[in-house]
Amino acid sequence: MFKKTLLSVLFAAMTFVGYAQDNVTVSDFTLDAGVAQTEAQVESQTIDLILNNEKPYGGMQFYLSLPAGVSLYESSTDGIWFDYTDRLKLSRTKYFSVKITKQGDGSYFFVIYNDENKTIAGNSGEPILTLYLTVSDPEAFETGTKQCAVTDLRLAAIGGNPEDGTRMDNLSSDCTLRVMAKTAASGYGSFSWPHDLDFSNAGVEAYVAEKDENCIVSLNPVKLVPAGTGIVIKGNPSTSYYPETTDEGGAATSVLTGTADGAYTVASDNIYAISTKEGKTAFYPVAQGVAVPLYKAFLTHEKTAVEESAAADFLNCDFVVSSGIEVVENNRLNSADDAYHTIDGVKVKQPAQRGLYIHHGSKVVVK
């Protein structure tokens, strides 16, 4: 599963004999995880990669280290993705050569060079490369301020080998990593994430779902959410919230199924997802063939024998929830049909004795 984000690395200025400091570093940036709806969605966020230098150089090499769970995007056919900018173009067809290889420790080794004694002229503030970031391991992804480091940087003279270039100081930059859970226009939403989460300071209400033997489902507030657990969130309309990753996700359980490991394509008629229709927010049935997006959650309900024998296609459950959400049945009983059904599925015009009956899709106790 990949969530790609454009990253522009800043090559700021570093020390070279007789010149002001010429350095290579990564600009500060914020990366939000949990935004993707599919395993291969490309994000639109961009951060420029810029080289600031007074002296012209013939090449350079360095190592780039990214936070845990974050990597450069790599395809099976094209390798590690990057784009040239005009700063490294010598003509429409000639570029500096760029080689990027991933190391055993997860860092990346960059070599930028050419064989024609061409130079990267001194000219501060212009991009030279665009890299593509991806949240490659959500389980290892941790929220907070992390470090992106450029180490063992060497800048080569014109015609020189980057390996023999002048070694510069190691530099690091701050990057902010966040897990984003977003509500819909109704103020509600569902969410799941493959790492334990803490909603204590997220500013949004989180709920886990329970269902008892009488098919009563309730949503109960929770702060610590275990990895992969499906939840409902309630906050302001169309608002992004940022829970924190934690190693203490608590022991809360939920009958909601999370899609933290991949989008779920519905193949039956018993799947419900939170949605808003005609101003009403509820758990609505999801049609077969529709995919519940990545990092969301859904409800599964198997019909009882009573529900199967009833005349209409509806769910025979009372969903009592603390947040005011309720389940909307596929199709409630026709209002003209005023019949009752016993718990054994027998249709009667009026209850003849005490007990539990189904009437217009709801449970009725006759005393």
Side-chain angles (χ1 to χ4, degrees):
M1 123 176 62
F2 290 104
K3 181 168 73 87
K4 310 174 204 167
T5 299
L6 296 178
L7 168 69
S8 298
V9 177
L10 294 183
F11 290 80
M14 296 190 113
T15 303
F16 196 90
V17 177
Y19 291 87
Q21 206 169 15
D22 292 352
N23 290 321
V24 174
T25 188
V26 181
S27 63
D28 294 347
F29 68 93
T30 297
L31 176 60
D32 290 339
V35 183
Q37 299 293 289
T38 67
E39 288 84 343
Q41 183 172 356
V42 180
E43 304 298 343
S44 60
Q45 178 182 348
T46 63
I47 304 174
D48 288 335
L49 288 173
I50 299 174
L51 169 64
N52 295 314
N53 61 306
E54 292 188 10
K55 179 181 176 64
Y57 295 109
M60 66 181 69
Q61 70 178 40
F62 58 90
Y63 292 88
L64 174 63
S65 298
L66 299 171
V70 179
S71 63
L72 299 181
Y73 180 72
E74 182 173 3
S75 73
S76 58
T77 56
D78 301 323
I80 296 174
W81 284 18
F82 66 90
D83 289 333
Y84 287 98
T85 66
D86 290 339
R87 190 86 188 276
L88 287 188
K89 292 181 181 179
L90 304 182
S91 68
R92 288 187 175 180
T93 58
K94 181 63 180 177
Y95 304 88
F96 271 73
S97 295
V98 177
K99 291 185 178 180
I100 309 173
T101 54
K102 189 171 185 178
Q103 306 300 295
D105 62 358
S107 65
Y108 294 88
F109 181 52
F110 286 69
V111 180
I112 302 174
Y113 65 98
N114 73 92
D115 298 323
E116 299 182 5
N117 293 334
K118 302 298 183 179
T119 64
I120 307 173
N123 186 2
S124 297
E126 294 183 1
I128 60 171
L129 287 178
T130 296
L131 305 177
Y132 294 75
L133 274 184
T134 175
V135 179
S136 55
D137 187 358
E139 293 184 29
F141 186 91
E142 296 184 354
T143 57
T145 300
K146 308 297 180 181
Q147 296 292 308
C148 295
V150 173
T151 59
D152 198 17
L153 170 67
R154 303 180 186 217
L155 296 176
I158 299 171
N161 187 333
E163 186 175 356
D164 300 323
T166 301
R167 180 174 291 180
M168 303 299 177
D169 295 334
N170 297 333
L171 293 177
S172 62
S173 299
D174 290 339
C175 54
T176 302
L177 305 184
R178 305 187 299 187
V179 172
M180 189 178 81
K182 188 174 183 179
T183 58
S186 63
Y188 291 98
S190 68
F191 193 69
S192 60
W193 187 249
H195 194 292
D196 294 351
L197 292 177
D198 185 354
F199 280 81
S200 298
N201 300 311
V204 64
E205 297 177 24
Y207 298 88
V208 291
E210 296 179 351
K211 183 168 62 172
D212 64 20
E213 65 276 6
N214 296 317
C215 296
I216 305 298
V217 175
S218 60
L219 295 180
N220 302 305
V222 66
K223 296 298 183 183
L224 299 178
V225 179
T229 302
I231 62 172
V232 167
I233 58 174
K234 180 178 181 293
N236 295 323
S238 303
T239 302
S240 297
Y241 297 94
Y242 304 97
E244 299 174 351
T245 55
T246 178
D247 293 328
E248 300 178 357
T253 59
S254 179
V255 295
L256 298 179
T257 300
T259 58
D261 294 329
Y264 176 80
T265 300
V266 177
S268 61
D269 60 358
N270 60 349
I271 302 300
Y272 293 75
I274 192 168
S275 183
T276 301
K277 297 181 180 180
E278 298 180 352
K280 183 178 182 61
T281 300
F283 282 103
Y284 289 88
V286 182
Q288 294 189 38
V290 174
V292 179
L294 186 65
Y295 307 135
K296 301 297 183 181
F298 60 87
L299 175 67
T300 302
H301 174 72
E302 300 293 342
K303 291 183 179 180
T304 65
V306 176
E307 293 168 335
E308 292 290 357
S309 63
D313 183 17
F314 64 94
L315 286 180
N316 179 28
C317 288
D318 296 323
F319 286 77
V320 181
V321 292
S322 56
S323 59
I325 303 173
E326 58 186 334
V327 162
V328 175
E329 293 85 356
N330 291 336
N331 213 344
R332 290 189 179 273
L333 286 170
N334 189 318
S335 58
D337 185 357
D338 199 36
Y340 290 75
H341 289 80
T342 69
I343 59 174
D344 297 322
V346 177
K347 183 177 180 180
V348 296
K349 187 174 182 180
Q350 290 289 336
Q353 56 186 2
R354 297 176 181 177
L356 180 64
Y357 293 84
I358 302 167
H359 189 233
H360 293 311
S362 298
K363 292 180 180 178
V364 176
V365 177
V366 178
K367 297 181 180 181

